[in-house]
Amino acid sequence: MATRISGDAHLRQVSVERLFDDLRERTGMLWVAGRQGGSRVLTSEASQKPTIGLVGHMNFIHPFRMQIMGAAELAYLRALPQSELDHTVERLFIQDLVAIIVANNEVVPDLLLAQCNARHVALFTSPQPSPHLADVIRLYLSRVLAENTALHGVFLDVLEMGVLITGASAIGKSELALELISRGNGLVADDIVELYRISPDTIEARCPEVLRDFLEVRGIGVLNIRTIFGETAVRPRKLLKLIVHLEDHSNEAFSELDRLKVDATYQEVLGVPIRKVTIPVAAGRNLAVLVEAAVRNFVLNQRGIDSTKEFIERQQKLMEDGA
């Protein structure tokens, strides 16, 4: 039966002020009105309620909490008679509105400036095109508001594939990670791995700030992987694709393992099924080579190539031909 790992029960949130600070350099945004609105927050509640949109172009049917105005939206507002303009701008300021962004270096209408100051709603301007702004902000919010959890293990970039190595304490996860790094693979996180569900079927792994670049190896101590192996030996984040679980097996248990395991095993992480491979730990086994082989085999499986089934089918054909 697959193990299920759930996320935090509380809603994640980000303030308008933090969003502005994080994206100001990338988007060229300026805060032109509604400075008192910086404490308003966006929450992950929108992912649970499809009728609540976080960010998008000006919309009155399903209004977004952050409304973006580009050239088309501003042209529409300018074409309205004054009475209709007043009513339309009034409709913008719904209860859940937290910010308005005027894109494309468009001139901000005076009425919009006045209303944002009066209602304490942040008003930003940006030279970037409105579709680009929407994409940047959506990606940012998908990361900071993602459902998340933390697992004990080591997360590595093995052959460009995100691999979480789990197992009992002192089974050799860090030593295995060190050997994989020395073979050209990269470290994401050791000991505590933060996992975020950034889309319905995508899990992203990150490292807690305090543990970044560090790997603890028993008998040696804490190693700074970036300092020892260079910049290419560490990764800031990676998508989780495969879980490799290490199990300690005695000689008797090792001999009784299913050598032709056909059915794939999965583990649910934040509601997303992740392929899981269990590797027995025993004297004389080169675990680093086995992990790399497991990753290569997983890539082949994704392409529809299953070596085990191919071997069984070849045996069956040989038996049928000889019958």
Side-chain angles (χ1 to χ4, degrees):
M1 185 175 179
T3 305
R4 296 189 179 186
I5 299 172
S6 302
D8 295 342
H10 67 280
L11 293 176
R12 293 177 61 81
Q13 64 181 33
V14 61
S15 69
V16 171
E17 186 171 18
R18 180 189 162 191
L19 180 145
F20 175 78
D21 290 339
D22 290 346
L23 297 181
R24 173 172 47 186
E25 184 175 340
R26 184 174 179 185
T27 61
M29 286 195 299
L30 297 176
W31 199 328
V32 297
R35 293 292 309 189
Q36 301 92 334
S39 60
R40 293 175 185 263
V41 296
L42 293 161
T43 69
S44 56
E45 183 182 20
S47 62
Q48 303 167 14
K49 296 182 179 180
T51 56
I52 300 177
L54 289 178
V55 59
H57 288 81
M58 187 174 69
N59 190 325
F60 295 109
I61 306 301
H62 293 290
F64 296 100
R65 301 205 62 202
M66 293 188 71
Q67 299 261 25
I68 297 178
M69 296 185 183
E73 290 76 18
L74 269 298
Y76 166 75
L77 291 180
R78 293 190 191 102
L80 294 175
Q82 187 61 46
S83 58
E84 285 190 39
L85 177 62
D86 293 343
H87 176 67
T88 301
V89 171
E90 182 76 22
R91 289 176 62 196
L92 270 177
F93 291 87
I94 59 169
Q95 183 178 356
D96 292 330
L97 181 69
V98 300
I100 296 174
I101 306 174
V102 176
N104 304 83
N105 267 338
E106 291 285 334
V107 177
V108 182
D110 293 337
L111 179 60
L112 198 59
L113 282 168
Q115 288 287 354
C116 285
N117 281 325
R119 296 172 181 267
H120 306 316
V121 173
L123 175 60
F124 307 138
T125 61
S126 171
Q128 299 291 339
S130 55
H132 174 72
L133 277 176
D135 289 342
V136 169
I137 296 173
R138 285 192 190 110
L139 180 59
Y140 169 81
L141 291 175
S142 73
R143 294 187 184 279
V144 299
L145 299 180
E147 183 183 4
N148 70 99
T149 189
L151 289 181
H152 176 68
V154 183
F155 199 96
L156 296 160
D157 174 0
V158 180
L159 305 175
E160 302 301 322
M161 188 75 65
V163 178
L164 174 64
I165 299 175
T166 63
S169 180
I171 201 168
K173 297 186 294 295
S174 296
E175 291 82 354
L176 171 57
L178 186 61
E179 185 171 357
L180 285 166
I181 293 167
S182 69
R183 294 169 64 91
N185 301 293
L187 173 70
V188 177
D190 176 43
D191 192 34
I192 299 297
V193 183
E194 295 178 341
L195 299 170
Y196 295 81
R197 183 177 178 178
I198 60 174
S199 78
D201 58 354
T202 306
I203 303 295
E204 182 180 79
R206 308 173 199 168
C207 181
E209 183 66 33
V210 69
L211 300 177
R212 190 163 297 168
D213 300 340
F214 293 119
L215 178 73
E216 182 186 4
V217 180
R218 283 180 173 82
I220 299 178
V222 178
L223 305 177
N224 188 315
I225 298 301
R226 186 187 298 271
T227 303
I228 296 173
F229 293 95
E231 295 288 333
T232 59
V234 293
R235 313 281 190 273
R237 59 178 63 88
K238 196 74 180 176
L239 299 183
L240 172 61
K241 295 295 184 181
L242 182 67
I243 297 174
V244 174
H245 184 68
L246 304 182
E247 275 192 1
D248 188 12
H249 282 263
S250 63
N251 291 333
E252 294 79 9
F254 193 77
S255 62
E256 294 173 2
L257 286 175
D258 182 4
R259 297 172 64 182
L260 292 177
K261 192 170 185 178
V262 178
D263 295 330
T265 303
Y266 292 86
Q267 179 171 326
E268 278 197 11
V269 179
L270 298 173
V272 179
I274 303 296
R275 180 71 177 271
K276 182 177 180 179
V277 175
T278 299
I279 296 181
V281 176
R285 306 200 86 199
N286 190 325
L287 296 180
V289 171
L290 292 176
V291 170
E292 288 184 346
V295 170
R296 294 181 191 276
N297 190 55
F298 172 72
V299 172
L300 290 176
N301 290 164
Q302 296 295 98
R303 297 175 182 171
I305 303 170
D306 192 318
S307 301
T308 303
K309 288 184 179 179
E310 184 181 345
F311 175 70
I312 293 174
E313 288 169 1
R314 186 180 298 179
Q315 277 191 321
Q316 288 177 338
K317 186 175 184 303
L318 185 63
M319 293 170 65
E320 290 168 1
D321 291 344

